[in-house]
Amino acid sequence: MSTVSSSSASSAAAASIAADKTALQQAMQSVISGATGNTSMDVNSLVTALVNSKTAGQVATLAAQQSTDNTQISAYGALSAALSALQTGLTSLSNGSLQSTFTATMSGTGITATAATGAVAGSYSMSVSQVASSQALSSAAFTSTQQLGTGTLAISLGSKSFNVSVDSSNNTVAGIAAAINSASGNPGVTATVVNGTDGAHLVLASSSTGASNTISVAVNNLSGDNGLSSLGVTSTASTTGGQSTFTSAVGTSAWTQSSVAQDAEFSINGIAGSSSTNSVTSAISGVTLNLTSAAVTTPASTQTLTIAADTTSQASAINNFVTLYNTLVTTMGTLTQYNASSTSQGPLLGDSTLNTINNTLASIVASGVKNGSTSQSLASIGISLQANGTLLVDSTTLTSALQNNSSTVASLFNSTNGIGEQLNSSVTNFTQTGGMIDVRTTALNSDLTSITTQQTNLSDYISQLTSQYSAQFTALNTLMATTSNNSAYLTQLFGGTNSAGALATNKS
């Protein structure tokens, strides 16, 4: 942040006025020169000097005040940005979620776990007997150009269904696949054509895993059947956790099942569970389990899931808060600094708004949190307040507090009157619409509007004054030139100092 001199406005005005006085003296000399017959006076310089002499003080004062206002608005912007950055870093320290961060670790392979809000530290034994999969059916082979007939395919995926019209324009294997993929209301059946040595196969696959997401096809309104009827198939979900089965409408070899529809089956602490997807979110509160086929072994293997407090993330959040708070303190120091050697100062030196903000936040971090008759301070978890207002973290003490004294950490950063919540509320009061910073910047912007109006009025006055002076001094210059010419003529006729004159010579 750049600093501005407290006397810069008056210095600039004084320098401008001094320069205008010098110009005025030079211009007035031209009047004297013109009056004594040496030369014509410099009207433009004289008018400019006179106008500037009359208005320079006002121009300089308005410009200086405009510069000061803009500098202070910029300074408040920097202060507000630092406050907002601090508030963003306070999220988990103000809403009580700091200690709701956990790590989830599996002892084996094939399962990954993540813990979020709602998780509880603990250990669980887990095994997986099967993972969830989606059904895929392959039809018998057809030639690529074979027209299978016309009709309507009623296709269902689980409890959802849609219709595909088959006519002479799309009754090849490729045409039917394209019609299925583009059909309105398709809940997730994907059709592809696989070309084998025996011909083209229509493959239907579900986009969703789970035993209930089976595929069935009914052929209706059949006409000119040339293989279309063989696309009928009925799939059945297992009711015992096993694999899906199917029955072809025409011939046992009309369809084959290349992938089965089934749920994931697992056991946690001896309790059986199932899921239609391999992302299991409801088995353990706050924990998401992601299953892969690598977890299914023969014989079945048991893994251990460990949920533990994520003290690394907690320490990172606290250290980030300290960094942002120190950045704010540094910013406020820059905005209020004073350099005696250069007599320069920060744009908000002595500003009551900044002083209030600084004192309020400093009081919060210094006072800590009261809980009945006792109180907890940041120092109890290794954060000390320095003489310059910044905070310093003792990483060893902080880590120990997070691991061994979680109740103190929870008290310091509780969501009711914790340090994070106190700071968060204060920052909101300072930066919100109608808050202290908004009130000050609104007043400064109003002053800038007033200055702009004054500058416009002054500019109009300068134009009028310039026109008036130009007319007056142009007339004066003309008069002096005429007088000078008349004087020279009379001297020529009657003589003057050291000259006799034409009439005097004629008279003699």
Side-chain angles (χ1 to χ4, degrees), residues 204-229:
L204 302 181
S206 167
S207 61
S208 301
T209 59
S212 64
N213 291 311
T214 55
I215 301 170
S216 294
V217 180
V219 182
N220 302 317
N221 306 317
L222 182 61
S223 178
D225 184 19
N226 189 30
L228 188 62
S229 61

Side-chain angles (χ1 to χ4, degrees), residues 145-469:
T145 59
Q146 181 177 343
Q147 294 185 327
L148 306 183
T150 62
T152 302
L153 301 181
I155 305 174
S156 63
L157 178 63
S159 61
K160 299 178 180 179
S161 62
F162 64 105
N163 293 325
V164 174
S165 178
V166 180
D167 55 32
S168 59
S169 68
N170 65 355
N171 62 357
T172 62
V173 176
I176 292 173
I180 292 173
N181 291 333
S182 62
S184 173
N186 186 333
V189 176
T190 301
T192 56
V193 177
V194 176
N195 293 300
T197 57
D198 55 346
H201 298 258
L202 177 65
V203 176
L204 302 181
S206 167
S207 61
S208 301
T209 59
S212 64
N213 291 311
T214 55
I215 301 170
S216 294
V217 180
V219 182
N220 302 317
N221 306 317
L222 182 61
S223 178
D225 184 19
N226 189 30
L228 188 62
S229 61
S230 67
L231 296 184
V233 63
T234 300
S235 296
T236 305
S238 171
T239 59
T240 59
Q243 302 177 351
S244 58
T245 58
F246 72 98
T247 302
S248 297
V250 178
T252 57
S253 61
W255 287 95
T256 58
Q257 184 172 238
S258 55
S259 178
V260 300
Q262 66 180 21
D263 290 339
E265 300 287 339
F266 53 85
S267 172
I268 300 176
N269 285 355
I271 302 172
S274 65
S275 171
S276 62
T277 71
N278 290 313
S279 179
V280 184
T281 58
S282 59
I284 302 174
S285 178
V287 178
T288 298
L289 301 168
N290 294 293
L291 315 181
T292 68
S293 58
V296 182
T297 61
T298 303
S301 61
T302 300
Q303 299 187 37
T304 299
L305 167 64
T306 302
I307 307 297
D310 188 358
T311 56
T312 299
S313 294
Q314 293 169 13
S316 178
I318 293 173
N319 276 293
N320 183 56
F321 148 65
V322 170
T323 298
L324 293 171
Y325 182 84
N326 289 345
T327 298
L328 173 61
V329 171
T330 301
T331 298
M332 291 190 291
T334 300
L335 296 175
T336 58
Q337 69 180 355
Y338 177 74
N339 189 323
S341 60
S342 62
T343 65
S344 64
Q345 66 183 48
L348 298 182
L349 178 64
D351 181 79
S352 60
T353 296
L354 186 145
N355 288 340
T356 297
I357 293 172
N358 187 22
N359 293 337
T360 299
L361 301 185
S363 175
I364 291 173
V365 298
S367 300
V369 178
K370 291 184 178 181
N371 184 12
S373 59
T374 63
S375 63
Q376 301 287 351
S377 68
L378 287 173
S380 63
I381 62 170
I383 302 175
S384 56
L385 183 63
Q386 306 299 290
N388 62 359
T390 61
L391 299 174
L392 181 65
V393 179
D394 183 322
S395 298
T396 301
T397 303
L398 175 60
T399 300
S400 176
L402 291 170
Q403 293 176 345
N404 306 312
N405 197 4
S406 60
S407 60
T408 297
V409 178
S411 176
L412 280 171
F413 298 110
N414 75 80
S415 60
T416 303
N417 68 334
I419 288 177
E421 176 53 27
Q422 291 183 57
L423 290 173
N424 180 61
S425 297
S426 295
V427 170
T428 296
N429 291 334
F430 297 144
T431 59
Q432 68 185 351
T433 301
M436 296 181 68
I437 293 178
D438 181 58
V439 169
R440 286 292 295 124
T441 53
T442 298
L444 289 168
N445 280 311
S446 296
D447 192 47
L448 285 174
T449 300
S450 175
I451 289 172
T452 299
T453 300
Q454 294 177 64
Q455 288 174 325
T456 299
N457 294 337
L458 183 58
S459 178
D460 293 340
Y461 174 68
I462 289 173
S463 296
Q464 295 171 4
L465 198 60
T466 299
S467 298
Q468 176 185 335
Y469 284 172

